[in-house]
């Protein structure tokens, strides 16, 4: 097959007797093999009319009036062709033979373990057209709220500060993979979306695999897996340039270039992005770059190499402190059930765009800052703005480079290998030492001028701004061998190796009027005078070594398909602390190898040509994260860390109407989570940081998910999806609370009473509805609505130490938000040019998107109702519009 992959062409055959009534019938097959292409699209007059949803590549479009039309045939991984056809009064028979556009995309599908209609798992695809139409320069996860049991918010509104929750699990337990490579943090599983701000501009598709998924790597796919594939190098020369502007003084420019196929061997593509803005919320300015480079080389008929490099050097102001609702909007707060009017009197209204992490400073203050530039290193610079200082800022650059090798060793044996590197330099900012705080109106905001006045201009600074640095590198390799034992049975085996080193330290960012800061925690250099860029407070280096392997078998027949996967993994951690002395040297700790495993499998049976049912089960023994094995702060090591256990059960049904006008997917799932452990930093009201370690938590997550699609004619389509879930804690637990992270003797045991509380931080019921209309060949309208219900707030477990307090956490009010997306093609005026407009929160709804119960900082009387919660409001109505020119 590979001998065809370097050549891009299409043979289109049209045959059949003339003149019958308005139906188009045909098949879509692969050139050279005659094999059907599953999931191809037939597009008539610019509107999708039918899909090859059965298993033999057939499609039919009914009710087409006689006339001349533009027809387009496409499928993921194949060239898209546009052709003019004439439909008479009789059926028109079409036979399409499509050639692969790029072997790069084919190999990426293999690397990424993507699901299709033969895979017995719940998944949703968001294609490139939907991403381009709906994303509108938002954080990439925010386009995924249209899928069941998926909840994403921008939290405080900072660029790249999004988070995502799938089936009630935070992104620590959601595997995020880009071109088949996991990008979750090696220490704790978190994903920082500001590191991938350019991926949305280069993404070809995103597949959300909910639950255990069929990904065979040992990755944290408990809630689900986000499987992102970016554009490979293209075989057609050309490109595009896009200009965007929007709310918050946002300006963005995107350039895409494709070399086309050079000498039937080489192809290159490049995407570059520049984004700047003041931000909608106070102080959430953004200064970002992003790049994506892809190259491919066809060595011979059996071997191909692909190179990907992407990254997003950036700086942005953050809003990390949620507030009492009345701080943002007094009238809205008083409209909430249970909100005491007296609470509004102590939480003075400061407006919807208030940010407690930014405050004014005299423009006569001319102190420099040691600032991360987002590219390689930090340097001494002027501050971002002369009139204010950000307490919280993020700066980081995390490039990722993949070298993929795709090889056909024989007709039956295929090898894929990806060698990858991911580096990262940067961190976030905060305060250190004695800062003067303004507690007016019950909110803590830094008083920079008072702090500067309190510091000695000729000597010591009592309080400073610091950078918390996280410099890291990861090298890994993923090797897969696939053996096509028979026409229906494939056997696959793979190895996964990763190693990482992460430096953690704090450094002086801004002396706030003084000349130096006295560092007292370094035993090797006591009481030294630290200047800009000098290390303070803590300094340690962690390493993570990972090994994994798996075996998977898959059988795909005419009526049914089954798969089974077994995998093992081993992880080892080490810690070297340069601020703790042990026998005259920095303290070192090393864990044993900790083993984990996964077992999963499932089957799908096609009851009829259009209806299939499936079942999958699984069990994961997940290795603990770094913090549950070694303490970063005192070197304490857990000699017997316990793995978390997950048990998965899922059943579903898929249906596609014979004419393609209607289809639906429905499934039920149950995820039993046992022995959950986590460590969480706790900030005291005085600003000191404590640490809580909780273990032995059991949770139950279950729910029903549905997706439907209806297309009554060639210019309108309605998609509706929804989910109804039940997520609860199953038991009470004990915790260890370390009040002073530098003093192991401050630890105390606490019993926490959380049984039967709802798992919060995401709505447990939701609906999404997309109305797509195409009134003309060059005008596309999409109205997207999302409704969220049964949203119990998150809570701090340490607040649940009273056995008499069994009250449920506060439930945030239900809300619905509409977004409008317009796209107009100017082909009749300027070929290859599109105008687009996105209006988010079209009706300007005020709603709570994130909430924490019984806030220690912003609560009123501690009885788990509206006046005790701290929240982030959703952003008000805002817009994004621009022009894209293709060439």
């Amino acid at each position: 097959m590979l001998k065809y992959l370097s050549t891009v062409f299409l043979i289109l055959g049209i045959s059949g007797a003339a003149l019958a009534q308005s139906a188009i019938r045909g098949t879509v097959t692969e050139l050279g093999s005659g094999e059907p292409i599953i999931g191809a699209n037939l597009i008539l007059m610019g509107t999708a009319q039918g899909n090859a949803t059965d298993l033999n590549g057939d499609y039919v479009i009914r009710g087409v009036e006689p006339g001349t039309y533009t027809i387009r045939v496409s499928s993921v991984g194949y060239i898209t062709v546009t052709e003019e056809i004439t439909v008479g009064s009789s059926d028109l028979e079409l036979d399409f033979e499509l050639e692969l556009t790029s072997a790069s995309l084919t190999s990426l599908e293999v690397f990424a373990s993507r699901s299709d209609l033969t895979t017995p798992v719940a998944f949703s695809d968001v294609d490139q057209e939907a991403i381009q139409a709906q994303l509108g320069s938002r954080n990439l996860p925010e386009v995924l709220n249209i899928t069941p049991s998926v909840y994403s918010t921008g939290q405080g509104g900072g660029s790249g500060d999004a988070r995502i929750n799938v089936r009630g699990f935070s992104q620590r337990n959601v595997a995020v993979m880009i071109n088949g490579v996991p990008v979750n943090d090696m220490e704790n599983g978190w994903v920082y979306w500001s590191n991938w701000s350019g991926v949305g501009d280069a993404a070809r598709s995103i597949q959300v695999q909910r639950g255990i998924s069929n990904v065979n790597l040992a990755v944290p796919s408990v809630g689900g897996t986000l499987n992102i594939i970016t554009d490979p190098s293209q075989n057609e020369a050309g490109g595009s340039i896009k200009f965007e502007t929007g709310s918050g003084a946002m300006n963005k420019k995107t350039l895409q270039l494709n070399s086309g196929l050079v000498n039937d061997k080489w192809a290159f593509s490049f995407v570059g992005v520049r984004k700047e803005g003041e931000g909608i919320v106070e102080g959430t300015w953004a200064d970002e770059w992003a790049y994506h480079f892809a190259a491919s080389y066809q060595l011979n008929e059996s071997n191909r190499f692909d190179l990907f490099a992407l990254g997003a050097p950036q700086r942005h102001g953050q809003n990390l402190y949620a507030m009492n609702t009345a701080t943002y909007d007094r009238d809205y707060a008083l409209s909430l059930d249970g909100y005491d009017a007296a609470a509004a009197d102590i939480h003075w209204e400061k407006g919807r765009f208030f940010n407690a992490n930014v405050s004014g400073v005299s423009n006569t203050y001319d102190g420099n800052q040691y600032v991360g530039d987002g590219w390689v290193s930090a340097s001494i610079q002027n501050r971002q703005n002369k009139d204010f200082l950000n307490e919280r800022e993020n700066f980081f650059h995390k490039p990722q480079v993949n070298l993929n090798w795709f090889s056909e060793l024989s007709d039956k044996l295929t090898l894929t290998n990806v060698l990858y590197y991911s580096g990262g330099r940067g961190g976030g900012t905060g305060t250190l030492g004695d800062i003067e705080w303004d507690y007016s109106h019950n909110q803590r905001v830094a008083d920079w001028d008072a702090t500067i006045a309190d510091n000695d201009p000729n000597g010591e600074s009592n309080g400073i701004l610091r950078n918390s640095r996280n410099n890291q590198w990861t090298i890994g390799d993923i090797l897969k061998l696939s053996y096509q034992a028979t026409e229906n049975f494939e056997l696959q085996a793979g190895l996964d190796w990763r190693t990482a080193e992460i430096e953690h330290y704090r450094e002086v960012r801004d002396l706030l009027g003084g000349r130096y800061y006295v560092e007292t925690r370094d035993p090797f250099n006591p009481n030294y005078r630290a200047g800009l860029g000098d290390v303070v407070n803590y300094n340690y280096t962690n390493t993570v070594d990972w090994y994994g392997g798996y075996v998977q078998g898959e059988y795909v027949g005419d009526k049914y398909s089954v798969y089974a996967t077994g995998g093992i993994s081993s992880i080892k951690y080490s810690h070297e602390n340069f601020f703790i002395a042990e026998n005259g040297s920095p303290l070192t700790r090393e864990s044993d190898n900790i083993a984990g495993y996964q077992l999963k499998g499932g089957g799908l049976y096609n009851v009829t040509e259009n209806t299939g049912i499936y079942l999958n089960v699984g069990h994961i023994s997940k290795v603990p994260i770094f913090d549950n094995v070694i303490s970063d702060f005192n070197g304490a090591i857990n000699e017997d860390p316990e793995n978390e256990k997950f048990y998965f059960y899922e059943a579903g049904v898929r249906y596609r109407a014979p004419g393609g006008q209607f289809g639906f997917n429905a499934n039920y799932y149950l995820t039993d989570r046992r022995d959950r452990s986590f460590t969480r930093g706790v900030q005291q009201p005085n600003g000191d940081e404590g640490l809580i370690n909780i273990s032995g938590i059991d949770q139950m997550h279950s729910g029903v998910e549905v997706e439907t699609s209806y297309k009554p004619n060639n210019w309108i389509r309605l998609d509706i999806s929804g989910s109804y879930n039940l997520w609860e804690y199953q038991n009470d637990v004990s915790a260890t609370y370390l009040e002073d992270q530098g003093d192991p003797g401050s630890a105390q045991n606490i019993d926490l009473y959380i049984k039967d509380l709802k798992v919060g931080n995401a709505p447990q019921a939701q609906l999404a509805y997309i109305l797509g209309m195409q009134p003309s060949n060059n005008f596309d309208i999409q109205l997207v609505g999302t409704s969220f219900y049964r949203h119990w707030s998150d809570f701090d477990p340490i607040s649940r130490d009273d056995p008499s307090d069994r009250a449920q956490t506060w439930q945030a009010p239900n809300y619905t938000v509409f977004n409008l997306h317009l796209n107009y093609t100017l082909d009749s005026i300027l070929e290859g040019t599109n105008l687009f407009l996105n209006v988010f929160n079209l009706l300007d709804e005020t709603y709570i998107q994130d909430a924490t119960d019984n806030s220690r900082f912003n609560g009123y009387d501690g009885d788990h109702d509206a006046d005790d919660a701290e929240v982030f409001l959703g952003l008000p109505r805002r817009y994004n519009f621009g022009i894209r020119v293709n060439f």
Side-chain angles (χ1 to χ4, degrees):
M1 173 118 21
L2 280 174
K3 64 184 178 181
Y4 297 107
L5 298 183
S6 298
T7 306
V8 181
F9 62 97
L10 172 130
I11 298 176
L12 171 62
I14 302 177
S15 62
L19 304 178
Q21 176 63 33
S22 66
I24 302 177
R25 306 174 185 275
T27 59
V28 181
T29 56
E30 183 180 17
L31 180 66
S33 70
E35 294 295 319
I37 297 172
I38 306 303
N41 292 315
L42 176 66
I43 297 175
L44 196 63
M45 292 190 65
T47 302
Q49 298 292 309
N51 296 303
T53 54
D54 55 8
L55 296 181
N56 61 13
D58 293 336
Y59 62 82
V60 60
I61 301 176
R62 308 179 190 279
V64 180
E65 297 294 332
T68 300
Y69 297 90
T70 298
I71 191 170
R72 188 173 74 180
V73 183
S74 66
S75 183
V76 175
Y78 294 84
I79 188 76
T80 298
V81 66
T82 302
E83 193 80 14
E84 189 174 270
I85 62 170
T86 300
V87 180
S89 58
S90 63
D91 291 355
L92 183 65
E93 301 289 339
L94 303 175
D95 294 306
F96 299 98
E97 292 184 319
L98 300 180
E99 181 68 7
L100 288 170
T101 60
S102 170
S104 302
L105 187 58
T106 302
S107 61
L108 281 177
E109 297 281 349
V110 176
F111 282 123
S113 302
R114 302 273 280 195
S115 297
D116 58 31
L117 293 177
T118 67
T119 309
V121 299
F123 70 92
S124 303
D125 285 317
V126 182
D127 61 21
Q128 190 173 38
E129 289 185 2
I131 296 169
Q132 291 181 351
Q134 299 176 19
L135 186 58
S137 297
R138 293 179 296 167
N139 300 307
L140 184 62
E142 293 182 79
V143 78
L144 302 178
N145 279 335
I146 59 176
T147 56
S149 299
V150 174
Y151 187 62
S152 177
T153 77
Q155 298 195 100
S159 179
D161 287 340
R163 56 108 176 176
I164 192 168
N165 186 295
V166 181
R167 287 187 174 175
F169 295 95
S170 76
Q171 55 197 33
R172 293 189 193 278
N173 286 289
V174 175
V176 179
M177 304 178 70
I178 300 177
N179 297 330
V181 174
V183 300
N184 298 74
D185 187 276
M186 286 282 283
E187 291 180 296
N188 57 33
W190 197 251
V191 180
Y192 301 90
W193 289 102
S194 57
N195 296 332
W196 313 107
S197 63
V199 171
D201 298 283
R204 174 176 286 265
S205 66
I206 306 173
Q207 185 173 89
V208 183
Q209 300 172 351
R210 299 184 298 277
I212 196 169
S213 79
N214 68 318
V215 173
N216 36 43
L217 296 178
V219 290
S221 52
V222 175
T225 301
L226 303 188
N227 218 319
I228 303 168
I229 286 185
T230 62
D231 264 327
S233 53
Q234 300 294 302
N235 288 341
E236 290 187 358
S240 67
I241 187 167
K242 181 170 63 172
F243 300 93
E244 299 173 70
T245 189
S247 301
M250 189 277 292
N251 284 287
K252 181 178 176 182
K253 297 172 281 290
T254 305
L255 174 67
Q256 180 174 358
L257 299 172
N258 301 316
S259 70
L261 196 62
V262 180
N263 296 329
D264 293 331
K265 290 284 188 180
W266 294 91
F268 304 92
S269 70
F270 171 78
V271 177
V273 181
R274 176 63 169 139
K275 179 182 175 182
E276 298 174 282
E278 296 177 3
I280 297 173
V281 176
E282 295 174 1
T284 56
W285 51 270
D287 183 2
E288 304 176 7
W289 300 81
Y291 58 88
H292 178 275
F293 174 78
S296 62
Y297 176 64
Q298 187 76 43
L299 179 65
N300 52 41
E301 291 185 357
S302 300
N303 292 276
R304 184 183 186 98
F305 293 92
D306 296 295
L307 178 68
F308 294 88
L310 65 155
Q314 56 81 36
R315 294 177 59 193
H316 72 273
Q318 295 182 289
N319 174 27
L320 299 185
Y321 296 165
M323 293 286 125
N324 188 283
T325 309
T327 304
Y328 297 120
D329 189 326
R330 178 185 175 91
D331 290 341
Y332 177 68
L334 293 174
S335 73
L336 301 175
D337 290 340
Y339 196 98
D340 193 323
D345 293 335
I346 66 170
H347 295 284
W348 284 26
E349 184 179 49
K350 293 181 178 292
R352 233 169 142 176
F353 306 121
F354 174 66
N355 179 2
N357 293 141
V358 63
S359 55
V361 66
S362 173
N363 58 22
T364 61
Y365 172 60
D366 58 0
N368 291 323
Q369 295 187 332
Y370 194 70
V371 178
D373 60 13
W375 287 94
V376 177
S377 60
S379 60
I380 297 176
Q381 302 178 20
N382 295 325
R383 62 181 183 271
Q384 176 72 18
N385 190 289
K386 291 192 64 176
D387 296 320
F388 65 80
L389 276 174
N390 286 88
E391 178 191 350
R392 297 288 188 170
E393 176 190 323
N394 177 268
F395 56 98
F396 216 86
H397 180 205
K398 187 178 176 64
Q400 179 171 304
V401 181
N402 303 358
L403 178 61
N404 297 4
W405 174 28
F406 185 79
S407 178
E408 282 191 345
L409 303 178
S410 70
D411 291 341
K412 294 187 174 183
L413 186 63
T414 302
L415 176 148
T416 58
N417 189 81
V418 54
L419 177 66
Y420 63 92
Y421 163 83
S422 180
R425 296 188 65 86
T429 69
T431 59
L432 186 63
D434 295 327
I435 300 295
E436 296 295 327
W437 300 101
D438 178 1
Y439 287 94
S440 300
H441 317 311
N442 213 35
Q443 306 297 339
R444 190 187 85 164
V445 179
D447 188 334
W448 302 121
D449 288 334
T451 302
I452 292 168
D454 191 49
N455 290 335
D456 184 352
N458 298 310
E460 181 180 354
S461 290
N462 298 311
I464 63 170
L465 276 173
R466 48 79 181 166
N467 294 323
S468 293
R469 297 297 297 262
N470 183 319
N471 300 333
Q472 58 183 262
W473 57 261
T474 300
I475 299 174
D477 190 85
I478 301 171
L479 173 69
K480 296 182 181 181
L481 281 171
S482 299
Y483 179 66
Q484 196 70 41
T486 68
E487 182 179 351
N488 303 105
F489 179 66
E490 180 184 46
L491 185 64
Q492 191 177 104
L495 297 173
D496 172 23
W497 163 76
R498 304 172 229 166
T499 185
E501 180 180 277
I502 310 98
E503 297 176 340
H504 296 274
Y505 58 88
R506 283 179 172 173
E507 62 191 9
V508 178
R509 176 185 179 87
D510 193 326
L511 287 165
L512 297 178
R515 296 188 62 187
Y516 57 83
Y517 178 78
V518 177
E519 171 53 48
T520 61
R521 292 196 176 189
D522 184 353
F524 303 102
N525 192 7
N527 297 317
Y528 77 85
R529 297 179 175 184
L532 292 179
D534 287 341
V535 176
V536 293
N537 198 236
Y538 61 72
N539 182 14
Y540 56 88
T541 298
N542 296 333
T543 66
V544 183
D545 291 294
W546 173 282
Y547 303 91
Y550 76 92
V551 176
Q552 177 173 294
E554 183 175 17
Y555 179 89
V556 179
D558 293 334
K559 296 287 288 184
Y560 68 91
S561 62
V562 294
Y563 88 98
T565 302
I568 58 173
S569 59
S570 175
I571 199 165
K572 185 175 184 178
Y573 300 118
S574 79
H575 172 75
E576 184 175 15
N577 198 315
F578 302 100
F579 270 26
I580 299 179
E582 186 177 61
N583 300 322
S585 299
L587 177 144
T588 59
R589 292 289 184 267
E590 185 174 273
S591 75
D592 295 330
N593 288 300
I594 307 169
Y597 62 88
Q598 61 173 336
L599 299 169
K600 55 187 176 182
L604 180 144
Y605 178 70
N606 292 305
V607 180
T608 68
E609 189 174 320
N610 305 105
T611 305
I613 57 175
Y614 66 87
L615 173 72
N616 67 66
V617 296
H619 172 51
I620 293 178
S621 177
K622 181 175 176 287
V623 296
I625 64 174
F626 191 100
D627 287 342
N628 292 337
V629 180
I630 302 175
S631 170
D632 289 328
F633 299 98
N634 58 28
I637 189 165
N638 184 353
E639 299 291 351
D640 188 24
E642 188 168 8
N643 287 5
E644 288 189 53
K645 290 88 174 176
F646 298 88
Y647 301 87
F648 302 85
Y649 312 89
E650 184 173 275
V653 59
R654 297 175 182 145
Y655 172 78
R656 296 293 181 273
Q661 294 92 348
F662 176 73
F664 77 85
N665 303 322
N667 63 274
Y668 169 80
Y669 74 91
L670 187 150
T671 303
D672 186 1
R673 181 182 195 179
R674 301 181 185 177
D675 297 321
R676 177 189 175 191
S677 300
F678 67 89
T679 300
R680 176 181 294 178
V682 179
Q683 190 173 52
Q684 305 298 333
N686 64 359
D688 292 342
E689 296 176 345
L691 200 68
I692 184 169
N693 183 275
I694 304 175
S695 61
I697 299 176
D698 295 340
Q699 298 171 213
M700 190 73 73
H701 295 238
S702 62
V704 176
E705 301 165 336
V706 178
E707 295 176 283
T708 66
S709 178
Y710 177 58
K711 187 172 183 59
N713 54 47
N714 62 358
W715 66 274
I716 190 168
R717 172 173 172 156
L718 178 65
D719 293 272
I720 299 176
S721 66
S723 57
Y724 188 91
N725 303 288
L726 179 62
W727 309 323
E728 287 184 339
Y729 293 101
Q730 302 293 297
N731 62 328
D732 296 328
V733 296
S734 296
T736 300
Y737 175 52
L738 188 66
E739 185 174 2
D740 182 353
Q741 295 182 13
D743 178 15
S746 68
Q748 53 183 305
N749 292 325
I750 302 174
D751 291 326
L752 303 178
Y753 302 93
I754 62 174
K755 186 176 186 296
D756 297 329
L757 293 183
K758 304 293 185 183
V759 176
N761 213 28
Q764 298 200 18
Q766 66 188 77
L767 282 173
Y769 15 91
I770 305 173
L771 178 63
M773 296 174 286
Q774 194 159 24
S776 67
N777 196 36
N778 57 350
F779 186 35
D780 183 78
I781 304 171
Q782 292 186 38
L783 181 64
V784 180
T786 48
S787 298
F788 299 101
Y789 314 91
R790 304 177 69 243
H791 183 182
W792 281 275
S793 53
D794 199 8
F795 66 94
D796 186 347
I798 199 174
S799 68
R800 290 293 186 154
D801 59 349
D802 183 356
S804 66
D805 182 9
R806 292 284 185 175
Q808 191 56 257
T809 57
W810 179 63
Q811 185 175 341
N814 304 333
Y815 72 90
T816 296
V817 172
F818 288 97
N819 299 329
L820 178 66
H821 310 282
L822 306 177
N823 187 80
Y824 187 78
T825 303
L826 299 175
D827 282 347
S828 59
I829 302 173
L830 184 61
E831 187 174 356
T833 301
N834 298 87
L835 298 175
F836 57 88
L837 169 66
N838 302 289
V839 183
F840 303 107
N841 193 359
L842 179 66
L843 303 181
D844 199 23
E845 291 292 324
T846 300
Y847 62 95
I848 293 171
Q849 62 176 12
D850 303 277
T852 300
D853 182 59
N854 268 22
S855 168
R856 293 183 301 127
F857 305 101
N858 296 283
Y860 178 59
D861 52 10
D863 58 355
H864 307 287
D865 58 12
D867 54 42
D868 298 306
E870 63 179 30
V871 306
F872 282 128
L873 296 185
L875 293 177
R877 181 168 50 229
R878 58 206 185 278
Y879 66 89
N880 160 263
F881 71 88
I883 184 171
R884 179 189 298 108
V885 180
N886 300 312
F887 53 85

